[in-house]
Amino acid sequence: MSHTPAARSSSVRDVMFDLFRQLGIDTIFGNPGSTELPMFRNFPSDFRYVLGLQEMVAVAMADGYAQATRNASIVNLHSAAGVGHALGNVFTAMKNKTPLVIIAGQQARSILPFDPFLYAAQATEFPKPYVKYSVEPARAEDVPLAIARAYHIAMQPPFGPTFVSVPVDDWDRQTDYLVARRIQAVRFPDDDSIDKLAGVLMHARNPAFVVGATVDREGAFDLMVELAERYSAKVFVAPFASRCPFPENHPLHAGFLPPMREGIVSRLAEHDVIVVLGAPVFSYHVEGEGPHIPDGSQLILVTEDPDQAAGAAVGDAIIANVKPVIERLLDRTGKVAPPLREPVRPLPSFVAEEDKISVDFLMKTLEEVRPQDCVIVDEAPTAHAARQDQIRLTRERSFFNCASGGLGYGLPAAVGLALGFPDRRVIATIGDGSSMYAIQALYSAAQLGLPVTFIIINNGSYRALEEFAGFFQIVDPVGTKLPGIDFVSLARSLGCAADRASVPGELAGKLQAAIGSSGPALLEVLTL
């Protein structure tokens, strides 16, 4: 990456924007406060500022955009209060392994000893442990260097958010221009590890692959298909996978592993070799007992994340990027797979009731009317199973979910994804409870005129909590009812077109209209 600065030095602010240009960044997401205003003095005309009406909205929009563009996003937050508001989605970005550089304001250096209004005490400690790197530079002149380091750390696998706190009086100080460096941030596997893994697969009686979000994140979707076919091995999707790592209409697609120990062991029972690619071993949601894999099975994990390797419950591990591992496995002489005899998983038949919309019927209808190249963003926890049953995702980068389990990500992430995928329709399926964490994102979508379809699944409750309460033998949990929210009026008040579907007969037509809109459109679907 070559670059010749126009001058030897300039303001910290101008040097920062020049650095962003070198790094291919022209968009900043944020919600500014008083301590950030000098950062944007004479805001450059070749940049755009995407405003979120709440800080967690700004972070999730930046997360979606970074995942779409495969480059780190820049997020602007306001000192302690703004960073506090954003932390829920900073946590999600860490779990999503999304590269973000968060630049937060700080009060002026000259008054920091006096505990001034709107300052951040221990600014670098506040976002930990959910950022990979956190710094408040010792000198104003070091701010661009700190931002450059934060960018490179965010972009090193496993990707993740980083944090830079900048005092308000730093931006007008003079400092030297920077020439951005290029860092090759890929871990290649050694030949010995690949030879051993290939040998295990070659001698396996009935191997299986378990694939996670990293397969899609690293652009290994098509390679994974080739690898599965090479060994005629079934492919299971890991619990809580936040991306689509394997085509769901492929004969070797064996479904989705549940987030419970006994269920995983049962699903993998017939397999003697289990290779996990780009996913934890394993993500559980409830307590369990017994082994983590079937007795007599051998498990090998391939991950770019050393913590994931160290924390695996069972098996051996190779720490390397998933894509070069798959490429090198394919280079080895593998099995000649027999013709695929497994039938493609059929879509289940379903008959709608005359006067009520079930979540299954909603997902079935969405599958019938959606563009096949659309991007689906999901944050409707009780609709996951219906989505997996009724919709078949077949393309890379076609599905994005929240890897942390925290609410308030999906709706604004859809806005960021729409910015990053300008030629694809983004469809967000969001629970009524989930949407209220970040409903302000509708305003951003409307102001930007983005072609996003928001489907609000309104069952009048935090249904996931009501269902999970049974695990603890709680019959009537408190705080789970959400009566009386009018999402159509909410959306329209924020500038977004909106409609409501309440009976099966009108669902398909209203879905088609919302998906076909030139700008953002919300469809509230009243479900059982």
Side-chain angles (χ1 to χ4, degrees), residues 460-516:
S461 67
Y462 289 117
R463 184 64 58 82
L465 284 180
E466 292 179 344
E467 293 180 355
F468 200 68
F471 179 78
F472 299 106
Q473 291 79 51
I474 299 173
V475 177
D476 189 18
V478 300
T480 63
K481 303 300 181 186
L482 299 172
I485 301 175
D486 183 347
F487 288 97
V488 172
S489 296
L490 269 175
R492 289 173 178 170
S493 74
L494 294 169
C496 182
D499 200 356
R500 179 180 293 113
S502 57
V503 295
E506 64 186 9
L507 180 61
K510 292 192 173 185
L511 274 175
Q512 287 174 324
I515 291 172

Side-chain angles (χ1 to χ4, degrees), residues 152-176:
H152 290 303
I153 292 174
M155 291 294 290
Q156 292 174 21
F159 299 156
T162 57
F163 180 84
V164 183
S165 173
V166 182
V168 66
D169 50 346
D170 283 5
W171 295 108
D172 292 315
R173 294 288 294 270
Q174 294 290 299
T175 193
D176 293 338

Side-chain angles (χ1 to χ4, degrees), residues 63-71 243 397 400 416-421:
D63 185 315
Y65 187 70
Q67 291 197 63
T69 61
R70 291 176 169 157
N71 195 11
R243 306 276 286 260
R397 311 181 80 195
F400 296 84
L417 285 161
L419 278 171
F421 288 126

Side-chain angles (χ1 to χ4, degrees), residues 164-227:
V164 183
S165 173
V166 182
V168 66
D169 50 346
D170 283 5
W171 295 108
D172 292 315
R173 294 288 294 270
Q174 294 290 299
T175 193
D176 293 338
Y177 273 90
L178 294 179
V179 176
R181 299 178 298 135
R182 181 182 296 276
I183 296 177
Q184 182 75 16
V186 177
R187 288 192 177 99
F188 289 99
D190 64 279
D191 289 337
D192 184 57
S193 295
I194 293 299
D195 288 339
K196 289 179 180 178
L197 178 54
V200 170
L201 284 168
M202 283 288 292
H203 292 95
R205 171 181 49 81
N206 188 9
F209 293 107
V210 176
V211 291
T214 303
V215 172
D216 190 49
R217 187 182 300 117
E218 291 190 12
F221 186 91
D222 292 334
L223 289 170
M224 190 62 231
V225 174
E226 188 178 350
L227 183 65

Side-chain angles (χ1 to χ4, degrees), residues 229-303:
E229 292 176 351
R230 176 76 59 88
Y231 291 97
S232 194
K234 288 186 177 180
V235 179
F236 297 84
V237 177
F240 298 120
S242 60
R243 306 276 286 260
C244 175
F246 196 79
E248 296 171 5
N249 66 342
H250 193 282
L252 290 173
H253 189 283
F256 304 84
L257 292 181
M260 55 189 299
R261 188 184 306 187
E262 296 89 344
I264 290 172
V265 171
S266 174
R267 295 291 303 278
L268 297 175
E270 64 186 64
H271 301 286
D272 59 329
V273 171
I274 301 159
V275 179
V276 181
L277 295 161
V281 178
F282 290 102
S283 293
Y284 300 129
H285 194 202
V286 295
E287 296 177 74
E289 296 180 351
H292 296 276
I293 59 174
D295 290 338
S297 295
Q298 178 180 2
L299 183 143
I300 301 169
L301 167 65
V302 178
T303 177

